[in-house]
């Protein structure tokens, strides 16, 4: 009885013993923590990759968005801009806009510049005396110059090089001869000008008219900008007021807050994609972190047991090793932040000229804080289960862990669940597209659940199989389902690692496929714009004089805006729409219009009927089927177009499927000839020369005989298109490589986590007589069975993820090269075997006597 009482008192005193303070725990943790983080390097690498990717992505995106927002007035050239096709503002419209501040207006059109025998298509920019309202127009060697004089032109460096001219030379545009007054160094509003079929040439506002380039039938655009008298005025409110005042004017507005919608969309899409890549890298790396921490704590098993025998409580153990893991996580995350910030200037240099981004060192505290938070949270979430196992089990259980593996600690589920909830909340709060991020995170969770279920199924199935007679095969099969088997961790690691290879190959080959399909190998040699209708005969004779077998296709070219659409008697005014329906982009602003007697080449009627030649009934229109579906239009519905200030209402007679990938003329709206033939307009044409015909003489003849027309060489456009798509592919490849590296780290983590248990197995097998070759073959057979089974799963998971990236994010066609994807997957399997071999060789060098004494 007395002995029992003494024991109870000792137990009571033990339970009342003061826990180790955080300072004392850190002293013990620091003493045990290797300066080079030996044993925790995998955790460092995983967090370094994920955090570095997120830091670079967040910093770069923030730098671009801040530039666009901070320089909105300069990038737009005003506080608000109104764009119109084939007309400028009338007096009433101009007076209404002038009430808000100072105005600047000008023309934008395609033209040809000539110098001797050289000719080049240009983007002609005619500006008035007050240009630019914001920012500075700089020339090479001269800063803050005003607009050019009436007989002068400022040339972009590309135009000067193409023509072979320099300052002081004389060039011809249309019918006017101009002196090159300088080479443009900085064009403040270049980004908002959008895509051009040639380098910029800036001239005086009246030049297009005096050069014969502006007529009621010409294809040109006017831009009128206003600098508000009151800088606090809301440009959105002004836009709404002008839209209400002139609902049918066909204004296309831009404000300083959205100076370049194209750049905004590009930045938004790339930010979403790159953020998902960073999250994927962290999710995949988290699995590697779990394996690495498990391996690290297993190697510290005896130290933990010794601390417990000496009186350390579970709380002490948790503090000591949480501090060690936290220190390593913080070091890896901070290293990732440093590298992420350091590479941002390099990314800025790569994007210079395409997007407004500072090329110097950019530090965004919020983006870095978010990346660091992600890294620390992922580390704690995935490190919690192995840490909790070491915290809650008695010393003797830890001592016997080699032969009696520790069970899972259900209390870790709360920590993991709470951490994952915080990560999900952070991802959704900071995402520019929460739905996309939620879908990705849901997909990642589903993939994890799928792989966990597959690991459980493989273990159960392996346990039911008959034991093979071959001892090597029997041992490999037993390794899949025995107690303490690492099958679950290996299935998850191999699944994500191989899926990363599939995603990389599928995305890259799909982009390559889009390059091949969207950029045709064969295309017309020239596009010619603004051919006068009355001179089409002379145009054809000139071309055929150079090449008798040349193919010419000429079509009427007009511009118009959809003012109303829908069933007759219940049409919707476009101006009344708060948002344009997805896919109904042709409702936004003015679009190309044409008319034809026959179905255009490359188009197929999918519903309704064509009107045929010599039609003279009510106005009819044929509409692209995809646009009709997006806008909710059917056969018999009506469309009202505004063309040069005149309304034309036509009934939908047919729907067409358009081959957008050919290099011909493709129009969403094709009207019956009687609907548009009386409107002022010119023609556009394609010229396809026979093989071997020199293009130079024809180009010179066209520029000389048709000075008001624009001749565009298609070869340059194809090179531009290929370059853009290849740059997208290269950026995607570089970004996806981060996920692949994280996948490789996961494989290493899974192998490292299983090393201790496999050392014991290897030693026992060698004691029982197995040689090194047999043990090595057994290991490879086990990994081979798992890898081959998971290759099919990885192909499915990776294929779905790649499909989402290509079709939903980039809006490309799904055109992967499955042969190349399977080849890359095969390379991934080879990497798995190489890692398995590399992880097995150290086990073969373990000395049985030494290993057995360590048990």
């Amino acid at each position: 009885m007395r002995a029992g009482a003494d024991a109870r008192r000792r137990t009571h005193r033990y339970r009342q013993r003061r826990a180790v303070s955080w300072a004392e725990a850190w002293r013990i943790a620091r003493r045990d923590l290797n300066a080079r983080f030996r044993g925790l390097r995998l955790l460092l690498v995983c967090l370094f990759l994920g955090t570095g990717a997120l830091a670079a992505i967040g910093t770069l995106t923030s730098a671009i968005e801040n530039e666009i927002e901070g320089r909105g007035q300069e990038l737009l050239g005003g506080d608000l801009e109104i764009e119109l096709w084939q007309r400028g503002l009338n007096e009433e419209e101009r007076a209404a806009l002038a009430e808000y501040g100072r105005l600047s207006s000008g023309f934008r059109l395609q033209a040809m510049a000539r110098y001797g025998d050289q000719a080049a298509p240009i983007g002609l920019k005619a500006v008035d005396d007050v240009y630019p309202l914001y920012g500075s127009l700089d020339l090479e060697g001269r800063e803050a110059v005003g607009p050019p004089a009436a007989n002068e032109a400022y040339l972009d460096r590309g135009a000067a090089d193409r023509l072979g001219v320099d300052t002081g030379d004389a060039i011809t545009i249309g019918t006017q001869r101009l002196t090159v007054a300088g080479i443009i160094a900085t064009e403040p509003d270049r980004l908002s000008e959008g895509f051009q079929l040639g380098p910029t040439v800036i001239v005086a506002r009246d030049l297009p008219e005096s050069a014969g380039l502006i007529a009621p039938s010409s294809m040109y655009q006017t831009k009128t900008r206003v600098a508000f008298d009151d800088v606090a005025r809301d440009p959105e409110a002004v836009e709404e007021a002008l839209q209400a005042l002139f609902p049918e004017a066909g204004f296309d507005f831009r404000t300083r807050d959205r100076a370049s919608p194209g750049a905004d969309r590009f930045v938004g899409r790339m930010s979403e994609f790159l953020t998902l890549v960073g999250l994927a890298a962290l999710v995949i790396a988290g699995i590697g972190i779990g394996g690495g921490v498990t391996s690290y704590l297993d190697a510290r098993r005896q130290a933990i047991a010794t601390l417990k025998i000496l009186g350390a409580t579970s709380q002490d153990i948790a503090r000591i090793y949480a501090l060690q893991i936290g220190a390593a996580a913080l070091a890896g995350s901070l290293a990732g932040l440093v590298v992420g910030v350091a590479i941002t200037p390099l990314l800025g240099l790569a994007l210079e000229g395409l997007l407004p981004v500072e090329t110097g060192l950019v530090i965004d505290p919020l983006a870095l804080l978010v990346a660091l938070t992600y890294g620390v949270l992922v580390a704690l979430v995935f490190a919690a289960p192995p840490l909790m196992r070491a915290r809650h089990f008695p010393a003797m259980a830890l001592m016997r862990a080699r032969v009696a593996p520790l069970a899972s600690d259900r209390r870790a589920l709360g920590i993991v669940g709470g951490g994952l909830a915080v990560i999900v909340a952070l991802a959704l709060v900071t995402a520019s597209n929460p739905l996309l991020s939620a879908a990705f995170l849901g997909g990642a969770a589903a993939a994890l659940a799928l792989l966990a279920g597959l690991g459980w199924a493989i273990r159960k199935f392996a346990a039911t199989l008959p034991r093979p007679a071959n001892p090597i095969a029997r041992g490999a099969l037993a390794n899949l389902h025995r107690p303490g088997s690492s099958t679950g961790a290996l299935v998850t690691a191999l699944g994500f690692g191989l899926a990363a290879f599939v995603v990389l190959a599928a995305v890259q080959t799909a982009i390559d496929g889009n390059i091949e399909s969207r950029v045709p190998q064969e295309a017309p040699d020239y596009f010619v714009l603004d051919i006068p209708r009355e001179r089409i005969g002379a145009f054809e004779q000139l071309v055929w004089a150079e090449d008798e077998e040349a193919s010419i296709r000429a079509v009427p070219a007009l511009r118009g805006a959809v003012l109303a659409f829908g069933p007759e008697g219940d049409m919707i005014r476009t101006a009344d729409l708060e948002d344009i329906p997805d896919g109904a982009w042709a409702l936004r602003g003015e679009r190309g219009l044409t008319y034809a007697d026959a179905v255009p080449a490359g188009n197929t009627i999918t519903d309704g009927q064509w009107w045929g030649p010599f039609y003279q009934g009510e106005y009819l229109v044929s509409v692209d089927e995809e646009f009709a579906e997006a806008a909710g239009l059917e056969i018999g519905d009506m469309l009202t177009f505004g063309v040069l200030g005149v309304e034309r209402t036509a009934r939908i007679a047919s729907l067409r499927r358009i081959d957008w990938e050919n290099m011909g003329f493709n129009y969403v709206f094709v009207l019956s000839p009687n609907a548009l033939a009386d409107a002022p307009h010119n023609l556009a044409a394609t010229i396809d020369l026979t093989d071997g015909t020199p293009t130079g003489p024809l180009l010179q003849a066209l520029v000389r005989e048709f000075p008001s027309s624009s001749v565009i060489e298609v070869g340059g456009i194809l090179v531009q298109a290929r370059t853009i798509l290849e740059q997208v592919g290269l950026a995607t490849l570089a970004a996806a490589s981060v996920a692949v590296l994280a996948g490789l780290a996961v494989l290493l983590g899974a192998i490292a986590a299983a090393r201790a248990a496999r050392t014991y197995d290897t030693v026992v097998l060698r004691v029982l007589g197995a040689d090194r070759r047999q043990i090595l073959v057994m290991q490879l057979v086990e990994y081979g069975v798992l890898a081959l089974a998971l290759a099919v799963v990885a192909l499915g998971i990776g294929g779905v993820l790649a499909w989402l990236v290509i079709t939903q994010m980039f809006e490309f066609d799904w055109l992967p090269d499955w042969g190349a994807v399977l080849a890359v997957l095969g390379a991934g399997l080879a990497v798995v075997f190489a890692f398995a071999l590399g992880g097995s060789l150290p086990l073969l060098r373990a000395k049985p006597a030494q290993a057995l004494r360590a048990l």
Side-chain angles (χ1 to χ4, degrees):
M1 293 290 291
R2 184 174 182 179
D6 290 342
R8 284 192 296 273
R9 282 194 297 270
R10 286 195 299 270
T11 302
H12 179 73
R13 287 196 300 270
Y14 175 79
R15 289 176 178 172
Q16 294 298 316
R17 192 188 67 80
R18 182 181 61 86
V20 174
S21 67
W22 282 106
E24 293 170 337
W26 171 241
R27 188 167 59 252
I28 298 172
R30 186 179 55 188
R31 185 182 302 129
D32 187 49
L33 190 63
N34 188 280
R36 292 174 293 177
F37 293 100
R38 185 175 181 180
L40 289 173
R41 293 171 187 167
L42 180 62
L43 182 145
L44 265 73
V45 170
C46 291
L47 289 176
F48 171 79
L49 290 173
T51 308
L54 285 174
I57 292 163
T59 302
L60 178 64
T61 303
S62 178
I64 295 174
E65 291 175 346
N66 289 341
E67 280 288 288
I68 292 177
E69 181 179 352
R71 294 174 51 205
Q73 293 174 316
E74 180 180 338
L75 296 176
L76 180 66
D79 292 293
L80 182 136
E81 176 186 86
I82 296 177
E83 297 180 359
L84 286 169
W85 281 92
Q86 294 181 292
R87 77 175 185 91
L89 297 181
N90 58 36
E91 292 185 5
E92 182 183 4
E93 294 165 343
R94 190 175 180 86
L97 185 61
E99 292 180 2
Y100 298 100
R102 193 160 52 110
L103 302 186
S104 173
S105 63
F107 297 98
R108 307 291 188 271
L109 66 154
Q110 294 298 133
M112 296 295 295
R114 289 176 288 147
Y115 177 72
D117 294 334
Q118 299 296 320
I122 59 171
L124 192 64
K125 181 174 180 176
V127 299
D128 60 13
D129 294 337
V130 296
Y131 173 87
L133 292 176
Y134 293 102
S136 172
L137 175 63
D138 301 331
L139 303 179
E140 293 182 1
R142 296 167 57 194
E143 295 184 357
V145 299
N151 61 342
E152 293 180 342
Y154 299 152
L155 272 63
D156 182 270
R157 171 53 66 185
D161 292 344
R162 177 72 183 273
L163 295 170
V165 299
D166 208 338
T167 302
D169 292 331
I171 62 173
T172 301
I173 298 177
T175 60
Q176 294 294 310
R177 190 173 177 83
L178 304 171
T179 300
V180 178
I183 306 300
I184 300 171
T186 302
E187 183 184 356
D189 55 345
R190 175 67 190 90
L191 188 66
S192 68
E193 297 292 353
F195 180 75
Q196 297 178 168
L197 295 175
T200 300
V201 173
I202 299 178
V203 297
R205 188 185 188 281
D206 296 334
L207 185 280
E209 293 174 310
S210 62
L213 302 177
I214 297 294
S217 57
S218 300
M219 296 295 288
Y220 66 92
Q221 186 182 41
T222 63
K223 293 190 176 186
T224 306
R225 297 162 175 170
V226 56
F228 291 155
D229 292 333
D230 181 2
V231 294
R233 191 185 298 276
D234 182 11
E236 301 290 342
V238 175
E239 176 182 341
E240 292 176 3
L242 292 171
Q243 187 70 52
L245 194 59
F246 306 102
E248 309 299 339
F251 292 158
D252 191 358
F253 289 97
R254 288 188 184 179
T255 69
R256 65 192 181 209
D257 299 325
R258 56 177 197 276
S260 179
D264 289 341
R265 286 192 295 271
F266 175 79
V267 172
R269 289 290 175 85
M270 287 305 296
S271 174
E272 291 169 2
F273 170 69
L274 294 175
T275 300
L276 293 185
V277 169
L279 287 175
L282 274 179
V283 169
I284 296 173
I287 302 167
I289 289 169
V293 172
T294 297
S295 176
Y296 177 74
L297 292 177
D298 190 76
R300 297 292 188 277
R301 176 176 56 90
Q302 291 188 351
I304 295 173
T306 302
L307 286 172
K308 286 204 165 189
I309 291 172
L310 294 177
T313 65
S314 296
Q315 184 179 1
D316 297 337
I317 298 298
R319 286 187 177 185
I320 292 169
Y321 287 96
L323 285 172
Q324 289 188 358
I325 294 168
L330 188 61
S333 298
L334 290 177
L337 295 184
V338 171
V339 172
V341 171
I343 66 173
T344 302
L346 301 178
L347 298 175
L349 287 174
L351 294 173
E352 191 175 14
L354 298 175
L355 293 170
V357 57
E358 295 180 24
T359 56
L361 192 65
V362 178
I363 298 178
D364 186 329
L366 180 59
L368 298 182
L369 179 61
V370 169
L372 180 62
T373 304
Y374 272 127
V376 173
L377 282 174
V378 167
L380 293 179
V381 166
F382 286 93
L387 187 59
M388 292 294 286
R389 284 200 300 272
R391 176 181 186 270
H392 284 295
F393 279 82
M396 293 308 296
L398 288 166
M399 289 294 191
R400 295 194 304 269
R402 287 280 192 263
V403 292
L406 300 177
S408 299
D409 186 350
R410 296 184 181 276
R411 283 168 288 189
L413 295 177
I415 297 176
V416 173
L420 289 176
V422 174
I423 292 174
V424 170
L426 182 62
L428 296 181
V429 168
T430 58
S432 57
N433 188 338
L435 289 178
L436 181 65
S437 295
F440 167 78
L441 293 172
L448 278 171
L450 174 64
L451 291 173
L454 182 62
W456 176 86
I458 289 176
R459 293 186 63 177
K460 292 298 182 182
F461 180 70
T464 61
L465 292 176
R467 298 178 65 188
N470 186 294
I472 294 178
R474 186 167 62 249
L477 181 63
N479 280 341
L480 296 177
H481 65 82
R482 61 176 174 77
S485 169
S486 58
T487 299
L490 285 174
V491 165
T492 304
L494 291 175
F496 271 105
L498 293 175
F501 280 96
V502 173
V503 170
L504 181 66
V507 168
Q508 188 62 35
T509 59
I511 291 176
D512 291 340
N514 277 272
I515 293 175
E516 294 300 320
S517 65
R518 294 191 176 204
V519 184
Q521 302 299 320
E522 297 183 4
D525 293 281
Y526 291 108
F527 280 111
V528 186
L529 307 178
D530 278 330
I531 305 169
R533 280 192 293 173
E534 65 277 8
R535 298 198 61 197
I536 184 61
F539 175 82
E540 293 173 337
Q541 291 302 319
L542 188 152
V543 174
W544 287 329
E546 297 291 337
D547 182 359
E548 295 180 353
E549 299 182 6
S551 174
I552 302 173
R553 181 192 172 201
V555 299
L558 301 91
R559 301 286 299 189
V562 178
L563 302 181
F565 63 98
E568 187 174 9
D570 190 25
M571 298 177 69
I572 300 171
R573 304 299 293 184
T574 306
D576 295 336
L577 293 175
E578 292 185 5
D579 295 303
I580 299 298
D582 290 339
W585 51 269
L587 295 176
R588 187 179 293 109
E590 295 193 347
R591 299 295 166 184
L593 303 176
T594 191
Y595 60 86
D597 281 324
V599 179
N603 290 212
T604 304
I605 299 295
T606 59
D607 194 7
Q609 294 182 340
W610 195 261
W611 42 81
F614 312 113
Y615 174 79
Q616 293 298 324
E618 71 169 326
Y619 295 164
L620 299 178
V621 60
S622 180
V623 179
D624 169 44
E625 63 175 359
E626 293 181 357
F627 167 78
E629 181 180 358
L633 295 172
E634 300 177 351
I635 299 296
D637 288 345
M638 311 297 287
L639 284 167
T640 297
F641 300 94
V643 182
L644 295 175
V646 178
E647 292 190 7
R648 309 285 175 109
T649 300
R651 186 180 303 276
I652 299 177
S654 63
L655 303 180
R656 291 169 294 119
R657 180 181 300 115
I658 301 175
D659 179 12
W660 294 103
E661 295 171 0
N662 71 63
M663 288 295 289
F665 293 108
N666 293 308
Y667 288 88
V668 174
F669 308 110
V670 179
L671 286 85
S672 56
N674 62 329
L676 291 178
D678 61 333
H681 65 278
N682 286 330
L683 305 178
T686 59
I687 303 174
D688 194 1
L689 302 175
T690 56
D691 293 341
T693 303
T695 58
L698 176 60
L699 176 62
Q700 296 299 323
L702 288 171
V703 173
R704 182 176 60 253
E705 297 298 326
F706 293 86
S708 63
S709 300
S710 298
V711 185
I712 302 166
E713 294 178 277
V714 177
I717 300 176
L718 296 182
V719 170
Q720 249 184 313
R722 284 183 180 275
T723 300
I724 292 172
L725 288 174
E726 286 171 357
Q727 287 176 337
V728 171
L730 183 61
T732 306
L733 175 65
S737 297
V738 176
V740 172
L741 290 175
L744 295 178
V746 166
L747 293 177
L748 286 173
I751 293 172
R755 180 176 299 174
R758 291 184 182 277
T759 300
Y760 170 75
D761 295 341
T762 301
V763 167
V764 172
L765 288 172
R766 289 183 62 187
V767 169
L768 294 176
D771 60 30
R772 294 185 177 184
R773 183 190 65 80
Q774 291 175 319
I775 294 173
L776 184 60
V777 171
M778 187 185 305
Q779 299 277 351
L780 294 180
V781 168
E782 179 187 353
Y783 279 102
V785 170
L786 288 177
L788 292 176
L790 288 168
V792 178
V793 178
L795 190 63
I797 294 175
V800 170
L801 290 175
W803 177 83
L804 289 172
V805 170
I806 291 294
T807 63
Q808 304 303 306
M809 188 171 293
F810 289 159
E811 297 183 359
F812 289 172
D813 293 329
W814 178 235
L815 299 171
D817 182 346
W818 288 111
V821 172
L822 292 175
V824 171
L825 181 58
L829 292 173
V831 170
V832 169
F833 281 108
F835 281 3
L837 180 63
S840 300
L841 290 178
L843 303 181
L844 301 179
R845 293 194 295 267
K847 296 180 180 180
Q850 181 179 352
L852 291 172
R853 283 197 300 268
L855 292 176

